[in-house]
Amino acid sequence: MVLDQMRNCIVFSGQFRTLRDTLPSIKEFISVNALDVYCHLWSDNPDEKRYILDHLKPKDYSFEKYTAYKDVFEGIETRVRATHPKNAPNDKIAGNASMNYARKAAYDLVKEKYDNIIYCRYDIEFAQQFLIEQQPDVILTPLEESYNLISDIFAIIPSQFAKSYFLYDEYEKLHSTQFEPEFVDWLRNIKQYGDDNINIHMFERYCPHMMLLRNLFTDKTPFVTMDIPVRLKR
């Protein structure tokens, strides 16, 4: 499917971070691909909110204060650690819950029908511009920040697979249960991830990248990691 026959949108979530630096390449990507824009932002800073409205011009948006949800996310962490304890005192379950909530909140703003939904953070810089020329039959994710699992900083998502990617509703369950045998077999025999690495994630980590990988696998959602020219601007 060629570009002028597609309707695509981009959803942003997270904190403002380095948006003033990444904005030029983000705006060019939006323009090149004729994307509708939707934004969720963790902020009560009026300057940050106005900057997003003025420069990204979202069709819809939601600005929320993290403190209003802090108890919810910390409650998730408390329940997860009680239900499915692991030797992972430094893993940020509450913080990753807020990240997944924000992604889902951005996605929930989308009420129109699109062929693809692109997920992006505000601190993403496009090293090179590219066209979304054809509707993929898989979720496409970048090598950047993939850690030999899957990256969660950017994705091109066919709309029929969006619910598997924006997984906040499954977040607590995924961290509160052990890996399915079929997923372990896939990690071992297909991905060849290695038993030591598998055991680390089963018993010593609450890893958001592994969680996303697991959810896509169990939902039978196809995905491909490729060298998409995006990077974090810290």
Side-chain angles (χ1 to χ4, degrees), residues 180-198:
E180 299 78 9
E182 297 83 2
F183 182 52
V184 174
D185 287 344
W186 179 83
L187 288 171
R188 178 181 294 120
N189 299 317
I190 305 301
K191 186 170 177 57
Q192 298 184 336
Y193 195 57
D195 283 345
D196 288 346
N197 288 329
I198 293 169

Side-chain angles (χ1 to χ4, degrees), residues 105-155:
Y107 168 62
D108 285 344
L109 294 169
V110 178
K111 306 302 182 186
E112 301 180 31
K113 184 176 180 180
Y114 294 96
D115 295 291
N116 298 290
I117 298 172
I118 293 90
Y119 171 71
C120 191
R121 289 172 37 156
Y122 295 107
D123 55 355
I124 287 290
E125 185 172 55
F126 292 84
Q128 179 181 335
Q129 296 297 328
F130 60 93
L131 282 173
I132 304 168
E133 294 182 338
Q134 184 175 358
Q135 181 180 0
D137 57 1
V138 297
I139 293 178
L140 302 179
T141 63
L143 286 169
E144 179 86 357
E145 301 282 314
S146 61
Y147 305 106
N148 197 27
L149 292 169
I150 190 169
S151 178
D152 61 1
I153 64 171
F154 180 89

Side-chain angles (χ1 to χ4, degrees), residues 2-234:
V2 296
L3 179 63
D4 61 4
Q5 295 175 319
M6 288 193 295
R7 288 198 74 218
N8 298 323
C9 72
I10 187 166
V11 300
F12 291 91
S13 75
Q15 300 177 40
F16 190 86
R17 298 188 188 277
T18 56
L19 178 59
R20 287 184 173 85
D21 296 323
T22 60
L23 182 70
S25 71
I26 285 176
K27 286 185 70 173
E28 186 176 357
F29 182 73
I30 291 169
S31 177
V32 163
N33 287 283
L35 302 173
D36 289 342
V37 177
Y38 299 86
C39 297
H40 179 278
L41 178 70
W42 285 125
S43 181
D44 60 354
N45 182 315
D47 292 335
E48 292 178 350
K49 292 188 283 188
R50 176 48 55 190
Y51 192 88
I52 282 176
L53 294 177
D54 288 347
H55 293 283
L56 293 180
K57 302 185 185 306
K59 290 196 74 170
D60 203 356
Y61 60 90
S62 175
F63 303 144
E64 297 189 276
K65 294 174 62 174
Y66 174 81
T67 52
Y69 293 86
K70 184 173 182 289
D71 289 346
V72 173
F73 302 140
E74 289 182 351
I76 290 174
E77 175 155 355
T78 298
R79 292 190 299 274
V80 166
R81 291 189 181 278
T83 303
H84 190 46
K86 296 185 180 184
N87 182 27
N90 297 321
D91 281 1
K92 300 176 180 178
I93 301 172
N96 289 326
S98 74
M99 178 177 66
N100 279 276
Y101 169 89
R103 288 182 194 150
K104 177 67 161 43
Y107 168 62
D108 285 344
L109 294 169
V110 178
K111 306 302 182 186
E112 301 180 31
K113 184 176 180 180
Y114 294 96
D115 295 291
N116 298 290
I117 298 172
I118 293 90
Y119 171 71
C120 191
R121 289 172 37 156
Y122 295 107
D123 55 355
I124 287 290
E125 185 172 55
F126 292 84
Q128 179 181 335
Q129 296 297 328
F130 60 93
L131 282 173
I132 304 168
E133 294 182 338
Q134 184 175 358
Q135 181 180 0
D137 57 1
V138 297
I139 293 178
L140 302 179
T141 63
L143 286 169
E144 179 86 357
E145 301 282 314
S146 61
Y147 305 106
N148 197 27
L149 292 169
I150 190 169
S151 178
D152 61 1
I153 64 171
F154 180 89
I156 302 170
I157 309 160
S159 58
Q160 66 267 31
F161 302 136
K163 288 185 178 180
S164 296
Y165 186 88
F166 298 101
L167 54 72
Y168 177 73
D169 292 343
E170 303 298 320
Y171 181 86
E172 184 171 345
K173 183 185 77 173
L174 286 164
H175 274 326
S176 298
T177 56
Q178 193 50 275
F179 293 176
E180 299 78 9
E182 297 83 2
F183 182 52
V184 174
D185 287 344
W186 179 83
L187 288 171
R188 178 181 294 120
N189 299 317
I190 305 301
K191 186 170 177 57
Q192 298 184 336
Y193 195 57
D195 283 345
D196 288 346
N197 288 329
I198 293 169
N199 287 334
I200 287 171
H201 282 276
M202 291 179 71
F203 304 109
E204 299 179 24
R205 290 298 316 277
Y206 300 101
C207 173
H209 302 275
M210 181 63 83
M211 179 191 63
L212 175 58
L213 187 69
R214 178 187 175 192
N215 199 59
L216 296 180
F217 175 84
T218 56
D219 281 355
K220 297 181 171 57
T221 301
F223 58 91
V224 171
T225 296
M226 59 186 300
D227 191 15
I228 300 173
V230 298
R231 61 194 176 203
L232 287 181
K233 178 74 173 179
R234 301 190 188 277

